[in-house]
Amino acid sequence: MTLLEQFQLLLKNANWPDWAVYLTPAIAGILLILVFVLTIIIVFIWWERRLLGRFQLRTGPNRCGPEGIFQPIATAIKILLKEDIVPDKADKLLHFVAPIIVFVPILMLFAVIPVGEGAILVDLNIGIIYIIAISSISVIGIFMASWASNNKYSLIAGMRAIAQMVSYELPVVLSIVGVALVAGSFSMLKIVEAQGIPYILQQPLGFIIFFLGALAEMNRSPFDLLEADSEIVAGYHIEYSGMKFAMFYLGEYGIVLAYAGIMATLFLGGWQGPLLPPIVWFLIKVVIIFSFIIWMRATLPRLRVDQLMSFAWKFLLPMAVINLVIIAVEVLVLPLSMQWLIIILNFGFAAALILLWSKLFTLGGGRVEV
Amino acid sequence: MLEIVFYLFAAIALVSAIAVIAVRDLFRAALCLILLFMTVAGIYLLLQADFLAIVQILIYVGAISILIIVAIMLTRDARQGQPAGRLKYFAAIVSALLLGTVLLGILNTAFSMPDSAPWQETIKPLGKALFGDSGYLLTVEIAAVMLLSAILGAIAVIREK
């Protein structure tokens, strides 16, 4: 039983009216998520700027507060005080609604991410499918923003958004299916409980595919073609300022936090860990993944559009299908007690497949092929 | 309380369905269609069909609506609004026939309420019904192969020679 259900039971026993028993825990849970997400996003913004600074041999923001920890708050105030500019020929209504449609689904994702035993908003038995479905709504918000702005650069970003998100959804889903096969459930809580050994050891290839696909889904570098400053100025939020821009900005970090939490849940054993309390373990894993993402941003150059598409369709998708077949065969043939054999086998398969596929994977000598 | 939520969803669904054909801006019409899909998913949720609701969002909102939006993008003069139809009378006849058929079907069906409580976990029974002993394994597989061949066909058609 989750903590919220216990809260609900408590209210029921205290003879609250029916609708209040229903609504109070829900609203409390939503507020809790909002506070949790916003707090961590603020820390994330600071952490990314400091870490990027270190990667680039400079200090990063360190003036405002100890080690510059209040810098993101100053940035937030600065953004909120800016004038809200709406282009004259923009579709005003859609221009206003788009940031909300981008941000709300991202918040909704946190409803099924467990941060401790029973510490989950709703334990859906279709948890992962819910995540896949809800995260696909954000694309529409991004496209709305790009269309409503009435700007050619933002429209290019919208087209890129659709191409990128739809293509990378497939490998992500296929690598999730591998996890669900082994765990025997779609429920996030049950997947965490099924991980005696974290699935990153058992399915290294699945983790790599999911990680790269998720990077593309959340538009982080090296897949940040939607907001490639050097090509299309700022992408879909080129005509946004003030509070609406802040929503996009929060959404960008929110989805990174969500996907880091999902990766921790699916592949790193979620809240499980010795000694420390569950929430601390969860946060440690999330911060490790986030730091890794920043590391990639500081290291790798941005992909070209044609490289992006062929990477999804010619590299990740076949690998994901092969990975799924391998895992399905292992689930059928090998008994669960032979965990170590599965781990060794899968690491072998992953290494062999990646090496083989990198030999086969070419991009036609620089000729643009889409 | 469930009834209030149902009527809310139903009202939004009706309004957005009418808006799809009434709104002149093509892109807004597509967005209204997406809203309609979402409210239908909400109604599925009220029926305790959680898997169906999620798949509705995944396929209709996440995939089909994107297809529609791409189609709008590729339409010339999309910003001028919905073009006036040339086949007015023909369209009226067809849609009247369609409406009549649907109404006839709804009015002649005796809707029965199930006696048992809905399943808490819907995936397992669904999977067993599809892939179990007396299931539709062959049908599902044939549908999958057909979809694959349709994709390959589409690629073959648009491929540059």
Side-chain angles (χ1 to χ4, degrees):
Chain A
M1 193 142 80
T2 67
L3 294 176
L4 271 183
E5 280 169 359
Q6 286 172 16
F7 183 37
Q8 207 165 13
L9 211 67
L10 193 81
L11 293 183
K12 207 172 199 169
N13 291 338
N15 280 330
W16 283 41
D18 242 11
W19 56 270
V21 172
Y22 219 74
L23 281 182
T24 321
I27 292 172
I30 291 168
L31 285 179
L32 205 67
I33 280 185
L34 206 59
V35 173
F36 175 80
V37 171
L38 289 182
T39 322
I40 295 190
I41 284 175
I42 285 176
V43 177
F44 265 22
I45 293 174
W46 170 77
W47 180 242
E48 168 154 34
R49 294 178 70 178
R50 291 288 293 189
L51 212 57
L52 267 184
R54 299 309 304 169
F55 279 124
Q56 296 164 355
L57 296 182
R58 55 189 174 88
T59 35
N62 64 347
R63 293 284 147 174
C64 193
E67 293 296 311
I69 185 72
F70 295 130
Q71 188 64 44
I73 297 172
T75 311
I77 294 172
K78 184 198 79 179
I79 287 179
L80 293 187
L81 290 179
K82 283 197 173 175
E83 188 190 353
D84 179 27
I85 302 167
V86 182
D88 207 25
K89 287 197 172 163
D91 191 330
K92 305 258 175 356
L93 180 69
L94 296 187
H95 191 266
F96 176 75
V97 179
I100 304 170
I101 295 195
V102 172
F103 190 57
V104 169
I106 293 169
L107 276 184
M108 283 169 75
L109 287 180
F110 290 93
V112 292
I113 298 175
V115 296
E117 197 165 6
I120 181 172
L121 212 57
V122 271
D123 180 26
L124 294 176
N125 62 43
I126 44 167
I128 303 184
I129 312 178
Y130 170 86
I131 285 175
I132 299 166
I134 296 296
S135 61
S136 67
I137 299 179
S138 283
V139 193
I140 292 165
I142 291 178
F143 197 79
M144 269 168 81
S146 65
W147 177 273
S149 297
N150 207 350
N151 179 312
K152 59 185 163 213
Y153 293 116
S154 66
L155 200 58
I156 293 172
M159 286 306 274
R160 287 184 176 188
I162 285 183
Q164 179 172 335
M165 302 251 194
V166 171
S167 320
Y168 278 85
E169 215 170 3
L170 294 170
V172 165
V173 172
L174 285 174
S175 57
I176 286 178
V177 172
V179 171
L181 262 183
V182 179
S185 172
F186 285 115
S187 151
M188 299 293 266
L189 276 181
K190 282 188 188 137
I191 285 172
V192 173
E193 280 158 10
Q195 291 178 59
I197 304 169
Y199 284 153
I200 185 174
L201 293 176
Q202 209 186 60
Q203 307 180 12
L205 189 57
F207 177 73
I208 294 171
I209 293 166
F210 185 86
F211 184 79
L212 292 175
L215 266 188
E217 290 270 301
M218 56 184 148
N219 314 323
R220 291 293 294 200
S221 187
F223 301 105
D224 60 342
L225 283 109
L226 303 195
E227 43 202 282
D229 331 41
S230 49
E231 299 163 19
I232 46 174
V233 198
Y236 57 95
H237 49 56
I238 185 170
E239 298 285 7
Y240 281 86
S241 60
M243 185 67 206
K244 292 180 202 157
F245 174 75
M247 293 277 274
F248 282 122
Y249 198 65
L250 286 179
E252 257 168 53
Y253 282 90
I255 195 141
V256 175
L257 175 59
Y259 268 107
I262 294 163
M263 272 181 238
T265 309
L266 293 184
F267 291 100
L268 299 184
W271 76 80
Q272 289 175 336
L275 294 175
L276 295 170
I279 176 94
V280 176
W281 268 114
F282 180 78
L283 286 178
I284 288 175
K285 284 166 183 170
V286 164
V287 169
I288 288 175
I289 292 170
F290 185 56
S291 309
F292 200 78
I293 292 170
I294 300 170
W295 186 14
M296 289 192 74
R297 177 179 173 184
T299 312
L300 295 172
R302 184 185 301 129
L303 269 74
R304 241 173 24 216
V305 180
D306 60 317
Q307 289 171 339
L308 181 93
M309 297 310 287
S310 52
F311 185 66
W313 291 102
K314 294 182 189 165
F315 194 89
L316 285 184
L317 187 65
M319 295 274 257
V321 173
I322 294 171
N323 176 54
L324 183 61
V325 172
I326 290 173
I327 288 164
V329 169
E330 280 170 354
V331 168
L332 269 184
V333 177
L334 293 173
L336 267 178
S337 53
M338 298 173 78
Q339 288 274 356
W340 52 272
L341 181 66
I342 296 179
I343 291 173
I344 295 169
L345 260 180
N346 278 349
F347 264 97
F349 274 130
L353 274 174
I354 291 174
L355 283 179
L356 185 72
W357 227 266
S358 346
K359 287 263 185 266
L360 293 174
F361 184 66
T362 49
L363 268 177
R367 194 164 54 88
V368 177
E369 264 184 327
V370 183
Chain B
M1 197 170 98
L2 279 182
E3 268 181 11
I4 303 174
V5 180
F6 170 76
Y7 282 117
L8 196 70
F9 275 141
I12 298 174
L14 283 179
V15 170
S16 50
I18 293 169
V20 173
I21 42 174
V23 172
R24 273 195 62 79
D25 188 333
L26 265 181
F27 188 65
R28 283 192 180 190
L31 291 178
C32 289
L33 194 65
I34 294 171
L35 186 64
L36 174 65
F37 291 149
M38 303 270 276
T39 46
V40 170
I43 290 172
Y44 285 150
L45 271 187
L46 289 180
L47 294 170
Q48 305 255 340
D50 48 3
F51 183 72
L52 199 58
I54 291 301
V55 169
Q56 164 89 10
I57 290 182
L58 185 64
I59 292 175
Y60 281 88
V61 178
I64 291 189
S65 64
I66 296 217
L67 205 66
I68 293 171
I69 289 176
V70 170
I72 291 174
M73 298 276 309
L74 299 178
T75 312
R76 233 185 305 158
D77 308 330
R79 286 199 191 269
Q80 261 78 46
Q82 298 198 15
R86 264 174 244 135
L87 298 165
K88 254 184 204 162
Y89 299 105
F90 182 66
I93 293 168
V94 170
S95 40
L97 281 176
L98 211 60
L99 182 70
T101 322
V102 173
L103 274 182
L104 205 71
I106 291 175
L107 292 176
N108 286 339
T109 310
F111 290 101
S112 59
M113 294 289 280
D115 304 320
S116 55
W119 280 314
Q120 280 304 311
E121 198 169 337
T122 45
I123 299 182
K124 253 180 203 159
L126 198 66
K128 287 223 171 92
L130 278 179
F131 301 111
D133 288 334
S134 58
Y136 304 93
L137 186 61
L138 188 64
T139 329
V140 174
E141 293 297 328
I142 288 175
V145 173
M146 260 185 71
L147 277 177
L148 182 67
S149 57
I151 294 170
L152 291 179
I155 293 173
V157 167
I158 62 161
R159 190 169 182 168
E160 284 174 80
K161 298 265 160 29

